[in-house]
Amino acid sequence: MFGSSNSRVFKPVPFGASRHRKGIPSWVWVLALGITLGAVGLYYIQEQLLPPRLNFIESQDLKAKAETATKAREQMSSELGQATAQLKVAQDERKVAVDKMNVALTSVEPLKKDLDLFLKAIPPDPRGNSIAIRSGTFSNDSGKLMYHLLFTRDRNAKNSAAFKGDVQIIVEGTRGGKNVSTTIQTLPLTLEGYQHLNGSAPLPEGFVAREVTVKLAQEKNGAQVSMRVFRL
């Protein structure tokens, strides 16, 4: 019994030794498959769903444009600040001007009343026209005719627009013992309420004015609207 040749001999196995397994474990295949599917999915998302990726040159160009846009925005913000400050200054100046105008209007109101009384005190145009030649003073002065004319317009006239016309000054007098008549000046006139015309006009050599005729005609058609004769 003890000397049988078929008995199995116990062979000790060193601690930590493992049996040799053939082939790659299944979990490695699962991991590799997961990595592959993830890479394919990422590639698909980047290429098909996300915006196209930029290369280096495109990225630099985009960065430069972004910096330019930022600088432009900062400049516009600065200009807006300056414009706002200027607007405030203009508004303040306008307020001051409006206040001064209101003060001026308040002080002008008594003058308007005095002027109305003055115009009423001046003798009316004998012809009674709504556009009138109210007064005129003339004098001979070193070969010139000095003149001062006052024209008035009825504020209650139907036509509210300002009258535009021409004033013609015709002088009669003597020259070398003979009676002479000459037109010395034609002046434009715009008349709303009242208007003064004063100045001088050269007379012919040796001419002495004795009588002045003032004619007022419309600018458009030349129709005469008023006339008055003054003696020196």
Side-chain angles (χ1 to χ4, degrees), residues 40-60:
V40 172
L42 178 61
Y43 178 80
Y44 175 78
I45 291 174
Q46 289 180 339
E47 296 297 327
Q48 302 297 327
L49 302 181
L50 297 179
R53 288 176 295 176
L54 302 177
N55 56 34
F56 177 77
I57 296 178
E58 292 174 337
S59 299
Q60 291 298 108

Side-chain angles (χ1 to χ4, degrees), residues 40 49 52 78 87 93 107 119 124 126 135 141 166 174 197-198 216 226:
V40 172
L49 302 181
S78 175
L87 176 61
E93 292 177 349
S107 62
L119 293 177
S135 67
D141 184 3
D166 295 310
T174 58
L197 282 183
N198 59 78
L216 181 59
S226 185

Side-chain angles (χ1 to χ4, degrees), residues 12-207:
V13 178
F15 180 79
S18 59
R19 296 180 178 179
H20 178 71
R21 294 182 180 181
K22 297 181 179 180
I24 299 174
S26 60
W27 63 268
V28 176
W29 290 106
V30 174
L31 179 60
L33 180 61
I35 293 174
T36 303
L37 291 176
V40 172
L42 178 61
Y43 178 80
Y44 175 78
I45 291 174
Q46 289 180 339
E47 296 297 327
Q48 302 297 327
L49 302 181
L50 297 179
R53 288 176 295 176
L54 302 177
N55 56 34
F56 177 77
I57 296 178
E58 292 174 337
S59 299
Q60 291 298 108
D61 183 59
L62 182 61
K63 182 179 179 181
K65 289 181 179 179
E67 292 177 352
T68 301
T70 300
K71 292 180 181 179
R73 183 173 66 253
E74 292 175 351
Q75 182 179 359
M76 291 179 64
S77 178
S78 175
E79 291 176 354
L80 177 61
Q82 294 177 0
T84 301
Q86 292 175 355
L87 176 61
K88 186 178 184 305
V89 172
Q91 290 175 338
D92 293 341
E93 292 177 349
R94 179 180 179 277
K95 184 178 182 302
V96 172
V98 169
D99 293 340
K100 290 182 178 180
M101 183 183 67
N102 291 334
V103 172
L105 290 175
T106 301
S107 62
V108 164
E109 192 62 30
L111 296 178
K112 289 177 63 178
K113 293 181 180 179
D114 292 343
L115 178 62
D116 291 339
L117 292 174
F118 170 74
L119 293 177
K120 290 179 181 179
I122 297 176
D125 188 328
R127 296 177 179 269
N129 297 324
S130 60
I131 299 175
I133 305 171
R134 296 293 294 272
S135 67
T137 55
F138 304 89
S139 63
N140 292 287
D141 184 3
S142 303
K144 296 181 179 180
L145 177 71
M146 311 299 294
Y147 62 85
H148 182 190
L149 293 164
L150 173 62
F151 301 87
T152 62
R153 175 175 174 269
D154 186 359
R155 296 181 183 273
N156 297 321
K158 295 181 180 180
N159 186 4
S160 59
F163 171 82
K164 293 185 177 182
D166 295 310
V167 179
Q168 189 178 39
I169 300 177
I170 303 171
V171 182
E172 293 184 8
T174 58
R175 182 184 183 187
K178 296 181 179 180
N179 294 329
V180 180
S181 176
T182 181
T183 299
I184 62 169
Q185 203 164 43
T186 299
L187 303 169
L189 176 69
T190 299
L191 181 61
E192 293 184 355
Y194 72 95
Q195 182 66 49
H196 291 273
L197 282 183
N198 59 78
S200 63
L203 294 170
E205 185 178 354
F207 186 95

